[in-house]
């Protein structure tokens, strides 16, 4: 089986590696909340129309219907 990451330096250790992955996950969640528009209660047709329209997807979704 192949490793998914290189071996951490001894100064970082296992706990440092764990907290590094945890920090990366927190950054990913913050990015998703910041950049991915809410599509709840939107019809698929409205989402497709907003994707194909010029301009910002978030702005297009907020003005549809």
């Amino acid at each position: 089986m192949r490793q998914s990451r290189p071996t951490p330096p001894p100064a970082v250790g296992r706990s440092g590696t764990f907290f590094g992955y945890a920090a990366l996950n927190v950054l990913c969640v913050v990015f998703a909340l910041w950049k991915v528009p809410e599509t709840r209660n939107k019809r698929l047709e409205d989402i497709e129309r907003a994707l194909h329209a010029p301009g910002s997807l978030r702005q297009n979704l907020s003005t549809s219907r």
Side-chain angles (χ1 to χ4, degrees):
M1 182 172 264
R2 185 178 166 102
Q3 287 181 311
S4 67
R5 58 172 170 74
T7 306
V12 175
R14 288 185 182 180
S15 62
T17 304
F18 172 80
F19 285 113
Y21 277 117
L24 187 61
N25 281 323
V26 168
L27 288 174
C28 288
V29 168
V30 169
F31 177 80
L33 291 174
W34 176 45
K35 284 301 224 181
V36 178
E38 177 62 60
T39 57
R40 188 180 337 163
N41 297 329
K42 300 283 183 183
R43 296 185 340 207
L44 181 59
E45 292 81 11
D46 295 335
I47 296 170
E48 287 177 346
R49 191 175 305 116
L51 282 169
H52 292 290
S56 167
L57 176 61
R58 188 180 301 264
Q59 193 174 38
N60 291 337
L61 278 174
S62 65
T63 59
S64 64
R65 283 190 115 213

